[in-house]
Amino acid sequence: MQNELNQLIKETIAPLFKAKGFKKKGKNFAKIFSDFAWTVNIQSSKWNTKNEVEFIFNTGIYCDKVYTTLSELKSPTFPLEVDSMLRLRISDIKNIRENWYKISDKTDIEEIKKQVESDIVNVILPYFEQYQNIEDIIRGIELKEELGRFEPRHHLTLLYHYYGYPEKAQKRMKEVYINSKFDSQKEYIKELSTKIGINVN
């Protein structure tokens, strides 16, 4: 069934993303802008067998300045979903229970193609369209926090810092430092603050 998945990616999934300006690398897609990228990963289930495969779409918003600051690695030539912010599975975007696509010898491949095409065209691409610039991304993370949903706390701080909100960055970094319970966390925050020129003391 892996061959059927590969054909689905080649004949249905890849053309849809490429038509919208995405580049492909393996089972990853990225549309790269000047300061960020939309990223997609096709994740295969670890329980796949030769007779049945399951897969799901993971999405993210990649920002090079955030990634390189936190990872201390060089900029990748191809941004990946795993290195992104605002990482969501398609089921999260649709606000439904996690639902993997399944291909087996009983599967109607044409139906799977229709479902995948519909989800890319009507769910994933419209979701990405709300993130047209850094301001949109900042607002997206702020909204996520307002709703009580988890996002690594330094993502927003670094976006504030690098994109014109130094006072917000300093205030947020200090708050995170004060509210950290463990010495190891405080030490890391101090190191990160020093790296970007913020004083948390």
Side-chain angles (χ1 to χ4, degrees), residues 144-168:
K144 193 174 183 182
E145 289 193 348
E146 289 170 10
L147 295 173
R149 297 175 182 172
F150 175 76
E151 179 77 18
R153 53 191 174 180
H154 299 307
H155 288 172
L156 187 54
T157 304
L158 292 174
L159 288 172
Y160 284 154
H161 171 73
Y162 287 120
Y163 294 101
Y165 302 94
E167 292 180 358
K168 283 188 175 183

PDB file of all heavy atoms in Angstrom, residues 144-168:
ATOM      1  N   LYS A 144      -3.920  32.207  20.201  1.00  0.00           N
ATOM      2  CA  LYS A 144      -3.780  30.849  20.723  1.00  0.00           C
ATOM      3  C   LYS A 144      -3.585  30.875  22.240  1.00  0.00           C
ATOM      4  O   LYS A 144      -4.174  30.079  22.975  1.00  0.00           O
ATOM      5  CB  LYS A 144      -2.599  30.156  20.045  1.00  0.00           C
ATOM      6  CG  LYS A 144      -2.529  28.655  20.276  1.00  0.00           C
ATOM      7  CD  LYS A 144      -1.413  28.030  19.461  1.00  0.00           C
ATOM      8  CE  LYS A 144      -1.394  26.523  19.642  1.00  0.00           C
ATOM      9  NZ  LYS A 144      -0.288  25.891  18.895  1.00  0.00           N
ATOM     10  N   GLU A 145      -2.764  31.821  22.710  1.00  0.00           N
ATOM     11  CA  GLU A 145      -2.538  31.944  24.145  1.00  0.00           C
ATOM     12  C   GLU A 145      -3.803  32.405  24.868  1.00  0.00           C
ATOM     13  O   GLU A 145      -4.103  31.928  25.962  1.00  0.00           O
ATOM     14  CB  GLU A 145      -1.387  32.904  24.420  1.00  0.00           C
ATOM     15  CG  GLU A 145      -0.033  32.350  24.036  1.00  0.00           C
ATOM     16  CD  GLU A 145       1.115  33.175  24.588  1.00  0.00           C
ATOM     17  OE1 GLU A 145       0.863  34.304  25.070  1.00  0.00           O
ATOM     18  OE2 GLU A 145       2.255  32.697  24.540  1.00  0.00           O
ATOM     19  N   GLU A 146      -4.522  33.329  24.261  1.00  0.00           N
ATOM     20  CA  GLU A 146      -5.770  33.806  24.867  1.00  0.00           C
ATOM     21  C   GLU A 146      -6.770  32.668  25.042  1.00  0.00           C
ATOM     22  O   GLU A 146      -7.555  32.650  25.995  1.00  0.00           O
ATOM     23  CB  GLU A 146      -6.382  34.908  23.987  1.00  0.00           C
ATOM     24  CG  GLU A 146      -5.611  36.226  24.022  1.00  0.00           C
ATOM     25  CD  GLU A 146      -6.110  37.202  22.967  1.00  0.00           C
ATOM     26  OE1 GLU A 146      -7.173  36.923  22.359  1.00  0.00           O
ATOM     27  OE2 GLU A 146      -5.445  38.228  22.741  1.00  0.00           O
ATOM     28  N   LEU A 147      -6.727  31.703  24.147  1.00  0.00           N
ATOM     29  CA  LEU A 147      -7.635  30.561  24.202  1.00  0.00           C
ATOM     30  C   LEU A 147      -7.108  29.448  25.100  1.00  0.00           C
ATOM     31  O   LEU A 147      -7.737  28.398  25.229  1.00  0.00           O
ATOM     32  CB  LEU A 147      -7.875  30.018  22.782  1.00  0.00           C
ATOM     33  CG  LEU A 147      -8.592  30.962  21.818  1.00  0.00           C
ATOM     34  CD1 LEU A 147      -8.623  30.383  20.415  1.00  0.00           C
ATOM     35  CD2 LEU A 147     -10.016  31.249  22.306  1.00  0.00           C
ATOM     36  N   GLY A 148      -5.931  29.684  25.691  1.00  0.00           N
ATOM     37  CA  GLY A 148      -5.356  28.702  26.601  1.00  0.00           C
ATOM     38  C   GLY A 148      -4.720  27.513  25.917  1.00  0.00           C
ATOM     39  O   GLY A 148      -4.567  26.443  26.516  1.00  0.00           O
ATOM     40  N   ARG A 149      -4.318  27.678  24.684  1.00  0.00           N
ATOM     41  CA  ARG A 149      -3.681  26.588  23.942  1.00  0.00           C
ATOM     42  C   ARG A 149      -2.171  26.746  23.975  1.00  0.00           C
ATOM     43  O   ARG A 149      -1.652  27.852  23.957  1.00  0.00           O
ATOM     44  CB  ARG A 149      -4.189  26.558  22.499  1.00  0.00           C
ATOM     45  CG  ARG A 149      -5.688  26.280  22.416  1.00  0.00           C
ATOM     46  CD  ARG A 149      -6.194  26.383  21.003  1.00  0.00           C
ATOM     47  NE  ARG A 149      -7.631  26.153  20.940  1.00  0.00           N
ATOM     48  CZ  ARG A 149      -8.352  26.328  19.849  1.00  0.00           C
ATOM     49  NH1 ARG A 149      -7.783  26.758  18.737  1.00  0.00           N
ATOM     50  NH2 ARG A 149      -9.665  26.099  19.864  1.00  0.00           N
ATOM     51  N   PHE A 150      -1.482  25.649  24.009  1.00  0.00           N
ATOM     52  CA  PHE A 150      -0.034  25.667  24.201  1.00  0.00           C
ATOM     53  C   PHE A 150       0.713  26.117  22.957  1.00  0.00           C
ATOM     54  O   PHE A 150       0.434  25.686  21.842  1.00  0.00           O
ATOM     55  CB  PHE A 150       0.450  24.271  24.588  1.00  0.00           C
ATOM     56  CG  PHE A 150       1.946  24.172  24.702  1.00  0.00           C
ATOM     57  CD1 PHE A 150       2.604  24.687  25.808  1.00  0.00           C
ATOM     58  CD2 PHE A 150       2.694  23.575  23.705  1.00  0.00           C
ATOM     59  CE1 PHE A 150       3.984  24.597  25.910  1.00  0.00           C
ATOM     60  CE2 PHE A 150       4.075  23.486  23.800  1.00  0.00           C
ATOM     61  CZ  PHE A 150       4.719  23.994  24.911  1.00  0.00           C
ATOM     62  N   GLU A 151       1.673  26.992  23.175  1.00  0.00           N
ATOM     63  CA  GLU A 151       2.654  27.383  22.158  1.00  0.00           C
ATOM     64  C   GLU A 151       3.938  27.670  22.921  1.00  0.00           C
ATOM     65  O   GLU A 151       3.912  28.367  23.941  1.00  0.00           O
ATOM     66  CB  GLU A 151       2.208  28.625  21.395  1.00  0.00           C
ATOM     67  CG  GLU A 151       3.195  29.100  20.330  1.00  0.00           C
ATOM     68  CD  GLU A 151       3.161  28.250  19.063  1.00  0.00           C
ATOM     69  OE1 GLU A 151       2.178  27.507  18.839  1.00  0.00           O
ATOM     70  OE2 GLU A 151       4.132  28.324  18.290  1.00  0.00           O
ATOM     71  N   PRO A 152       5.083  27.116  22.511  1.00  0.00           N
ATOM     72  CA  PRO A 152       6.332  27.409  23.226  1.00  0.00           C
ATOM     73  C   PRO A 152       6.478  28.900  23.512  1.00  0.00           C
ATOM     74  O   PRO A 152       6.357  29.732  22.623  1.00  0.00           O
ATOM     75  CB  PRO A 152       7.400  26.900  22.254  1.00  0.00           C
ATOM     76  CG  PRO A 152       6.720  25.746  21.578  1.00  0.00           C
ATOM     77  CD  PRO A 152       5.287  26.181  21.402  1.00  0.00           C
ATOM     78  N   ARG A 153       6.732  29.237  24.765  1.00  0.00           N
ATOM     79  CA  ARG A 153       6.588  30.610  25.237  1.00  0.00           C
ATOM     80  C   ARG A 153       7.565  31.604  24.618  1.00  0.00           C
ATOM     81  O   ARG A 153       7.282  32.797  24.572  1.00  0.00           O
ATOM     82  CB  ARG A 153       6.752  30.635  26.762  1.00  0.00           C
ATOM     83  CG  ARG A 153       8.034  29.976  27.249  1.00  0.00           C
ATOM     84  CD  ARG A 153       8.003  29.785  28.736  1.00  0.00           C
ATOM     85  NE  ARG A 153       9.163  29.034  29.201  1.00  0.00           N
ATOM     86  CZ  ARG A 153       9.369  28.745  30.473  1.00  0.00           C
ATOM     87  NH1 ARG A 153       8.507  29.138  31.380  1.00  0.00           N
ATOM     88  NH2 ARG A 153      10.431  28.057  30.832  1.00  0.00           N
ATOM     89  N   HIS A 154       8.707  31.115  24.131  1.00  0.00           N
ATOM     90  CA  HIS A 154       9.686  32.057  23.579  1.00  0.00           C
ATOM     91  C   HIS A 154       9.397  32.448  22.128  1.00  0.00           C
ATOM     92  O   HIS A 154      10.006  33.389  21.620  1.00  0.00           O
ATOM     93  CB  HIS A 154      11.103  31.486  23.699  1.00  0.00           C
ATOM     94  CG  HIS A 154      11.522  31.241  25.115  1.00  0.00           C
ATOM     95  ND1 HIS A 154      11.442  32.221  26.080  1.00  0.00           N
ATOM     96  CD2 HIS A 154      11.996  30.124  25.726  1.00  0.00           C
ATOM     97  CE1 HIS A 154      11.868  31.722  27.231  1.00  0.00           C
ATOM     98  NE2 HIS A 154      12.202  30.461  27.051  1.00  0.00           N
ATOM     99  N   HIS A 155       8.519  31.724  21.468  1.00  0.00           N
ATOM    100  CA  HIS A 155       8.200  32.070  20.076  1.00  0.00           C
ATOM    101  C   HIS A 155       7.697  33.501  19.955  1.00  0.00           C
ATOM    102  O   HIS A 155       8.199  34.287  19.149  1.00  0.00           O
ATOM    103  CB  HIS A 155       7.147  31.102  19.515  1.00  0.00           C
ATOM    104  CG  HIS A 155       7.675  29.734  19.251  1.00  0.00           C
ATOM    105  ND1 HIS A 155       6.852  28.678  18.905  1.00  0.00           N
ATOM    106  CD2 HIS A 155       8.931  29.229  19.275  1.00  0.00           C
ATOM    107  CE1 HIS A 155       7.586  27.595  18.717  1.00  0.00           C
ATOM    108  NE2 HIS A 155       8.845  27.903  18.946  1.00  0.00           N
ATOM    109  N   LEU A 156       6.716  33.833  20.765  1.00  0.00           N
ATOM    110  CA  LEU A 156       6.134  35.173  20.678  1.00  0.00           C
ATOM    111  C   LEU A 156       7.123  36.233  21.138  1.00  0.00           C
ATOM    112  O   LEU A 156       7.209  37.317  20.536  1.00  0.00           O
ATOM    113  CB  LEU A 156       4.853  35.237  21.510  1.00  0.00           C
ATOM    114  CG  LEU A 156       4.024  36.518  21.401  1.00  0.00           C
ATOM    115  CD1 LEU A 156       3.685  36.838  19.950  1.00  0.00           C
ATOM    116  CD2 LEU A 156       2.740  36.391  22.220  1.00  0.00           C
ATOM    117  N   THR A 157       7.889  35.944  22.177  1.00  0.00           N
ATOM    118  CA  THR A 157       8.898  36.898  22.656  1.00  0.00           C
ATOM    119  C   THR A 157       9.871  37.248  21.543  1.00  0.00           C
ATOM    120  O   THR A 157      10.200  38.428  21.329  1.00  0.00           O
ATOM    121  CB  THR A 157       9.674  36.313  23.846  1.00  0.00           C
ATOM    122  OG1 THR A 157       8.754  35.945  24.869  1.00  0.00           O
ATOM    123  CG2 THR A 157      10.667  37.318  24.400  1.00  0.00           C
ATOM    124  N   LEU A 158      10.350  36.226  20.831  1.00  0.00           N
ATOM    125  CA  LEU A 158      11.326  36.471  19.765  1.00  0.00           C
ATOM    126  C   LEU A 158      10.710  37.199  18.586  1.00  0.00           C
ATOM    127  O   LEU A 158      11.363  38.047  17.958  1.00  0.00           O
ATOM    128  CB  LEU A 158      11.948  35.144  19.316  1.00  0.00           C
ATOM    129  CG  LEU A 158      12.850  34.471  20.359  1.00  0.00           C
ATOM    130  CD1 LEU A 158      13.301  33.099  19.880  1.00  0.00           C
ATOM    131  CD2 LEU A 158      14.066  35.340  20.672  1.00  0.00           C
ATOM    132  N   LEU A 159       9.461  36.912  18.280  1.00  0.00           N
ATOM    133  CA  LEU A 159       8.790  37.661  17.218  1.00  0.00           C
ATOM    134  C   LEU A 159       8.661  39.136  17.605  1.00  0.00           C
ATOM    135  O   LEU A 159       8.908  40.029  16.784  1.00  0.00           O
ATOM    136  CB  LEU A 159       7.416  37.063  16.936  1.00  0.00           C
ATOM    137  CG  LEU A 159       7.400  35.709  16.225  1.00  0.00           C
ATOM    138  CD1 LEU A 159       5.982  35.144  16.185  1.00  0.00           C
ATOM    139  CD2 LEU A 159       7.950  35.828  14.808  1.00  0.00           C
ATOM    140  N   TYR A 160       8.277  39.393  18.850  1.00  0.00           N
ATOM    141  CA  TYR A 160       8.231  40.774  19.335  1.00  0.00           C
ATOM    142  C   TYR A 160       9.606  41.432  19.183  1.00  0.00           C
ATOM    143  O   TYR A 160       9.731  42.570  18.707  1.00  0.00           O
ATOM    144  CB  TYR A 160       7.833  40.814  20.807  1.00  0.00           C
ATOM    145  CG  TYR A 160       6.374  40.575  21.120  1.00  0.00           C
ATOM    146  CD1 TYR A 160       5.990  40.069  22.365  1.00  0.00           C
ATOM    147  CD2 TYR A 160       5.368  40.888  20.205  1.00  0.00           C
ATOM    148  CE1 TYR A 160       4.660  39.859  22.675  1.00  0.00           C
ATOM    149  CE2 TYR A 160       4.034  40.674  20.509  1.00  0.00           C
ATOM    150  CZ  TYR A 160       3.682  40.170  21.746  1.00  0.00           C
ATOM    151  OH  TYR A 160       2.364  39.964  22.067  1.00  0.00           O
ATOM    152  N   HIS A 161      10.628  40.705  19.611  1.00  0.00           N
ATOM    153  CA  HIS A 161      11.985  41.264  19.614  1.00  0.00           C
ATOM    154  C   HIS A 161      12.474  41.601  18.203  1.00  0.00           C
ATOM    155  O   HIS A 161      13.013  42.686  17.975  1.00  0.00           O
ATOM    156  CB  HIS A 161      12.944  40.273  20.275  1.00  0.00           C
ATOM    157  CG  HIS A 161      14.389  40.644  20.145  1.00  0.00           C
ATOM    158  ND1 HIS A 161      14.953  41.688  20.854  1.00  0.00           N
ATOM    159  CD2 HIS A 161      15.382  40.129  19.364  1.00  0.00           C
ATOM    160  CE1 HIS A 161      16.247  41.788  20.530  1.00  0.00           C
ATOM    161  NE2 HIS A 161      16.520  40.859  19.637  1.00  0.00           N
ATOM    162  N   TYR A 162      12.292  40.675  17.288  1.00  0.00           N
ATOM    163  CA  TYR A 162      12.861  40.851  15.948  1.00  0.00           C
ATOM    164  C   TYR A 162      12.010  41.713  15.018  1.00  0.00           C
ATOM    165  O   TYR A 162      12.515  42.217  14.015  1.00  0.00           O
ATOM    166  CB  TYR A 162      13.091  39.489  15.283  1.00  0.00           C
ATOM    167  CG  TYR A 162      14.263  38.721  15.855  1.00  0.00           C
ATOM    168  CD1 TYR A 162      14.082  37.474  16.438  1.00  0.00           C
ATOM    169  CD2 TYR A 162      15.561  39.242  15.808  1.00  0.00           C
ATOM    170  CE1 TYR A 162      15.156  36.762  16.956  1.00  0.00           C
ATOM    171  CE2 TYR A 162      16.635  38.546  16.329  1.00  0.00           C
ATOM    172  CZ  TYR A 162      16.423  37.305  16.902  1.00  0.00           C
ATOM    173  OH  TYR A 162      17.500  36.600  17.415  1.00  0.00           O
ATOM    174  N   TYR A 163      10.743  41.893  15.352  1.00  0.00           N
ATOM    175  CA  TYR A 163       9.865  42.563  14.396  1.00  0.00           C
ATOM    176  C   TYR A 163       9.175  43.793  14.973  1.00  0.00           C
ATOM    177  O   TYR A 163       8.009  44.069  14.684  1.00  0.00           O
ATOM    178  CB  TYR A 163       8.853  41.561  13.830  1.00  0.00           C
ATOM    179  CG  TYR A 163       9.536  40.511  12.999  1.00  0.00           C
ATOM    180  CD1 TYR A 163       9.793  39.242  13.536  1.00  0.00           C
ATOM    181  CD2 TYR A 163       9.961  40.775  11.701  1.00  0.00           C
ATOM    182  CE1 TYR A 163      10.448  38.272  12.784  1.00  0.00           C
ATOM    183  CE2 TYR A 163      10.613  39.821  10.951  1.00  0.00           C
ATOM    184  CZ  TYR A 163      10.857  38.567  11.492  1.00  0.00           C
ATOM    185  OH  TYR A 163      11.518  37.616  10.758  1.00  0.00           O
ATOM    186  N   GLY A 164       9.921  44.561  15.780  1.00  0.00           N
ATOM    187  CA  GLY A 164       9.479  45.915  16.091  1.00  0.00           C
ATOM    188  C   GLY A 164       8.729  46.147  17.379  1.00  0.00           C
ATOM    189  O   GLY A 164       8.129  47.215  17.547  1.00  0.00           O
ATOM    190  N   TYR A 165       8.774  45.206  18.312  1.00  0.00           N
ATOM    191  CA  TYR A 165       8.088  45.394  19.588  1.00  0.00           C
ATOM    192  C   TYR A 165       9.030  45.108  20.763  1.00  0.00           C
ATOM    193  O   TYR A 165       8.780  44.209  21.574  1.00  0.00           O
ATOM    194  CB  TYR A 165       6.858  44.485  19.683  1.00  0.00           C
ATOM    195  CG  TYR A 165       5.861  44.693  18.583  1.00  0.00           C
ATOM    196  CD1 TYR A 165       5.898  43.903  17.437  1.00  0.00           C
ATOM    197  CD2 TYR A 165       4.886  45.685  18.666  1.00  0.00           C
ATOM    198  CE1 TYR A 165       4.982  44.091  16.412  1.00  0.00           C
ATOM    199  CE2 TYR A 165       3.965  45.884  17.655  1.00  0.00           C
ATOM    200  CZ  TYR A 165       4.021  45.079  16.519  1.00  0.00           C
ATOM    201  OH  TYR A 165       3.120  45.265  15.501  1.00  0.00           O
ATOM    202  N   PRO A 166      10.133  45.858  20.879  1.00  0.00           N
ATOM    203  CA  PRO A 166      11.132  45.568  21.915  1.00  0.00           C
ATOM    204  C   PRO A 166      10.594  45.656  23.338  1.00  0.00           C
ATOM    205  O   PRO A 166      10.994  44.868  24.200  1.00  0.00           O
ATOM    206  CB  PRO A 166      12.219  46.619  21.655  1.00  0.00           C
ATOM    207  CG  PRO A 166      11.517  47.724  20.905  1.00  0.00           C
ATOM    208  CD  PRO A 166      10.492  47.046  20.080  1.00  0.00           C
ATOM    209  N   GLU A 167       9.693  46.599  23.590  1.00  0.00           N
ATOM    210  CA  GLU A 167       9.149  46.741  24.948  1.00  0.00           C
ATOM    211  C   GLU A 167       8.292  45.530  25.323  1.00  0.00           C
ATOM    212  O   GLU A 167       8.358  45.025  26.453  1.00  0.00           O
ATOM    213  CB  GLU A 167       8.338  48.031  25.060  1.00  0.00           C
ATOM    214  CG  GLU A 167       9.188  49.289  24.962  1.00  0.00           C
ATOM    215  CD  GLU A 167       8.364  50.560  25.065  1.00  0.00           C
ATOM    216  OE1 GLU A 167       7.113  50.453  25.170  1.00  0.00           O
ATOM    217  OE2 GLU A 167       8.953  51.654  25.046  1.00  0.00           O
ATOM    218  N   LYS A 168       7.501  45.046  24.377  1.00  0.00           N
ATOM    219  CA  LYS A 168       6.702  43.849  24.620  1.00  0.00           C
ATOM    220  C   LYS A 168       7.599  42.638  24.848  1.00  0.00           C
ATOM    221  O   LYS A 168       7.317  41.784  25.703  1.00  0.00           O
ATOM    222  CB  LYS A 168       5.761  43.579  23.435  1.00  0.00           C
ATOM    223  CG  LYS A 168       4.532  44.467  23.387  1.00  0.00           C
ATOM    224  CD  LYS A 168       3.587  43.980  22.301  1.00  0.00           C
ATOM    225  CE  LYS A 168       2.288  44.769  22.294  1.00  0.00           C
ATOM    226  NZ  LYS A 168       1.330  44.257  21.278  1.00  0.00           N
TER     227      LYS A 168
END
